[in-house]
Amino acid sequence: MSKKYYIETLGCAMNVRDSEHMIAELSLKEGYEEADSIEDADLILINTCSVREKPVQKLFSEIGQFAKRKKEGAKIGVCGCTASHLGEEIIKRAPSVDFVLGARNVSKITEVLHKPKAVEVDIDYDESGYAFGEFRTSPYKAYINISIGCDKQCSFCIVPHTRGEEISIPAELILQEAKKAAQTGAKEIFLLGQNVNNYGRRFSSDHPKMNFTGLLRAVSEIEQIERIRFTSPHPLHMDDEFLEEFAKNPKICKSMHMPLQSGSTGILKQMKRGYSKEWFLNRAQKLREMVPDVSISTDIIVGFPGESEADFEDTMDVVEKVRFEQIFSFKYSPRPMTPASEYERQVPDEVASKRLKRLQDRHNEMLDEMKVQRLGKIYEVYFEELKPGGMVAGRTDNNWLVKAEGSEELLGKTAKVKIVETSRLGNIGEIVA
Ligand code: SAH
Ligand code: F3S
């Protein structure tokens, strides 16, 4: 009988892809299959996130739960960014953990499996040329990494310390993977990296020069691919060449993530983001002019050390002006190894909570205004998922979630859908063609 894995994936899209890579390695080299439950698994993996403190605190209670529920002899592995960051401390604090595998050591999964108490967390390890086996969670959509690590050193962010320096993956590997995915039914490709529009600045060995715009063009030349998405681009690198390619390439989905973090130029400087409020507004306005249907999402941190009421008003001002279709907002969380955690003038929690609530309340009002505008409109929806009650779900080109009546035969297909009901986050539609 084959061995079984159970995997829990927390955090960002890069973790989702890392989990897929681990599953591919485990099934290819060790014959593993997915378990129905924790109790049934021979191997339990937790792929962790360490961007904020809360999930890290939760990790240890979760390990305790898993240790109680697991069957005799089953192994527990802690992977991802918290693994990189805490290393062997995880095994010291939680002796039921069998191995610790860092976010930049994913290809070693089948090695650590056989080394008792292994800790592999080297953030200089170069996996940019490693050809992982194939595994996709969705047959209709393929996540593809285009770089590892991040060179940006934003002063609040732990990621450069958990995923190491930025290295681009050779274009020929990315294109090979995209072609294979397209041939096996994925009409949508999702390109992943911490800083995607910085692509091509550094490869680990000699490679033909290619920047992100060039890569987008090359991927869009693959015939069976109909939709291309990517995350995360950095506002600093949103030059005209990139925006023009985004606007005119019909295969690139018209949904852009523009992580703002703060609307105050002073705070942006302290954050080491490399752009000002004016640059961000200029890029967002240019994008809306070039692509009237675009939806723009963002990440915002409130309560960064030294953030005054006036700084926060600047953030609210950008929110008013850009009218983001989606905002991921967080209270600042001090992280070890980051310069901002040592800055003076940390903002009291009650102040940060108040600002977060004001931001979210105002954005909800804006979403209520936006949702009315979608009503009655017709969008092309690419259906990817079955939902209970005879429904299927998919996304419009500009990333609205839409559910419609339908069954399996719609999956992997695009249909024209008229929006008949709408809420802040999702829409119900009727297929019209
Ligand atoms: N390169 C990615 C960022 C990855 S971290 C990007 O540019 O989108 C994802 C998000 O977590 C960041 O955009 C930021 O908004 C948030 N984040 C990172 N560190 C944080 C911290 N110390 N406190 C609160 N939020 C943080
Ligand atoms: Fe973090 Fe800034 Fe890189 S938010 S992932 S250091 S772009």
Side-chain angles (χ1 to χ4, degrees):
M1 235 179 51
S2 62
K3 286 171 279 178
K4 304 249 169 82
Y5 69 84
Y6 178 93
I7 187 160
E8 182 183 52
T9 305
L10 306 161
C12 66
M14 303 219 67
N15 264 12
V16 173
R17 186 60 182 148
D18 289 344
S19 287
E20 290 182 344
H21 280 155
M22 289 193 280
I23 294 169
E25 292 295 299
L26 286 168
S27 56
L28 211 71
K29 297 191 180 147
E30 303 271 338
Y32 270 82
E33 286 173 12
E34 189 178 5
D36 295 326
S37 64
I38 292 168
E39 289 78 2
D40 189 33
D42 303 281
L43 172 64
I44 298 165
L45 297 175
I46 313 176
N47 196 2
T48 59
C49 172
S50 62
V51 161
R52 281 167 293 275
E53 196 186 354
K54 240 195 206 136
V56 180
Q57 288 169 345
K58 275 202 219 143
L59 173 66
F60 288 95
S61 62
E62 184 156 53
I63 295 170
Q65 292 293 325
F66 285 176
K68 267 191 220 140
R69 289 173 62 186
K70 78 180 176 90
K71 70 177 178 194
E72 179 84 31
K75 289 180 178 160
I76 299 181
V78 175
C79 319
C81 283
T82 306
S84 307
H85 149 215
L86 293 179
E88 61 185 347
E89 197 189 319
I90 294 177
I91 295 182
K92 281 195 196 129
R93 276 174 70 180
S96 57
V97 171
D98 293 282
F99 61 85
V100 176
L101 185 69
R104 207 179 161 118
N105 299 259
V106 175
S107 60
K108 296 181 193 158
I109 177 73
T110 53
E111 258 174 59
V112 290
L113 200 57
H114 301 294
K115 275 197 233 155
K117 305 292 172 193
V119 177
E120 291 286 349
V121 293
D122 179 4
I123 64 161
D124 294 324
Y125 190 62
D126 181 7
E127 294 191 303
S128 66
Y130 189 86
F132 284 97
E134 276 287 300
F135 178 83
R136 287 206 308 273
T137 314
S138 162
Y140 312 109
K141 174 163 79 183
Y143 286 112
I144 299 180
N145 287 349
I146 69 164
S147 61
I148 58 175
C150 183
D151 265 358
K152 281 282 180 264
Q153 307 285 343
C154 300
S155 63
F156 53 81
C157 185
I158 197 171
V159 171
H161 306 278
T162 62
R163 290 187 176 269
E165 70 172 6
E166 193 172 307
I167 303 179
S168 298
I169 291 170
E172 59 270 25
L173 273 185
I174 298 169
L175 293 171
Q176 239 173 49
E177 219 178 313
K179 277 182 200 149
K180 222 190 263 166
Q183 281 156 9
T184 52
K187 292 182 184 151
E188 183 172 310
I189 299 289
F190 213 126
L191 303 175
L192 296 178
Q194 293 300 342
N195 214 353
V196 285
N197 48 345
N198 199 31
Y199 179 80
R201 305 290 158 105
R202 188 195 299 128
F203 294 100
S204 60
S205 53
D206 248 4
H207 283 285
K209 258 198 163 14
M210 188 181 288
N211 66 8
F212 188 53
T213 306
L215 183 68
L216 285 172
R217 274 191 208 133
V219 174
S220 67
E221 276 160 19
I222 301 170
E223 210 178 309
Q224 301 97 320
I225 292 173
E226 294 176 10
R227 289 183 164 199
I228 302 169
R229 298 186 192 274
F230 51 83
T231 206
S232 275
H234 194 291
L236 177 66
H237 303 299
M238 292 192 178
D239 53 22
D240 286 353
E241 186 201 3
F242 167 66
L243 292 188
E244 274 154 24
E245 183 64 23
F246 179 85
K248 71 166 200 268
N249 188 329
K251 290 193 179 178
I252 300 179
C253 290
K254 301 306 179 242
S255 136
M256 182 81 89
H257 190 57
M258 288 185 73
L260 170 67
Q261 312 304 357
S262 169
S264 150
T265 298
I267 294 293
L268 286 168
K269 212 174 225 159
Q270 294 294 312
M271 287 177 161
K272 302 215 164 26
R273 290 291 289 175
Y275 53 87
S276 62
K277 176 186 181 185
E278 287 67 33
W279 168 259
F280 188 94
L281 282 175
N282 171 287
R283 296 291 89 186
Q285 275 156 10
K286 175 137 196 186
L287 182 59
R288 291 237 188 255
E289 275 160 29
M290 293 169 90
V291 190
D293 271 351
V294 71
S295 50
I296 307 182
S297 57
T298 196
D299 292 348
I300 292 177
I301 297 176
V302 301
F304 183 83
E307 184 188 70
S308 65
E309 271 315 302
D311 291 321
F312 178 64
E313 289 304 333
D314 272 329
T315 299
M316 292 301 289
D317 187 43
V318 176
V319 169
E320 291 298 332
K321 290 194 166 116
V322 178
R323 297 184 68 81
F324 298 103
E325 276 74 9
Q326 200 174 11
I327 299 184
F328 302 93
S329 49
F330 318 96
K331 271 195 283 185
Y332 167 71
S333 167
R335 308 304 297 124
M337 301 177 280
T338 61
S341 63
E342 283 154 30
Y343 289 175
E344 281 170 21
R345 302 204 296 137
Q346 300 280 332
V347 172
D349 190 57
E350 320 80 78
V351 176
S353 297
K354 247 200 206 145
R355 288 180 187 164
L356 186 66
K357 183 166 185 319
R358 197 179 132 206
L359 170 70
Q360 291 175 341
D361 286 350
R362 177 62 192 126
H363 188 239
N364 280 337
E365 284 172 16
M366 290 176 152
L367 287 178
D368 287 339
E369 288 160 22
M370 286 176 208
K371 75 179 192 200
V372 182
Q373 291 161 7
R374 298 199 291 267
L375 218 51
K377 281 204 181 145
I378 293 172
Y379 293 92
E380 294 217 325
V381 176
Y382 179 57
F383 287 107
E384 299 165 44
E385 212 186 327
L386 275 182
K387 290 282 173 191
M391 308 284 275
V392 280
R395 286 185 181 267
T396 63
D397 182 275
N398 63 356
N399 212 26
W400 298 116
L401 191 62
V402 179
K403 279 201 281 187
E405 243 173 66
S407 53
E408 255 145 311
E409 67 267 21
L410 272 170
L411 298 181
K413 301 213 171 78
T414 305
K416 283 202 165 63
V417 179
K418 182 175 170 182
I419 305 296
V420 293
E421 225 182 287
T422 163
S423 69
R424 279 176 197 152
L425 295 176
N427 306 277
I428 307 279
E430 277 171 9
I431 295 173
V432 291

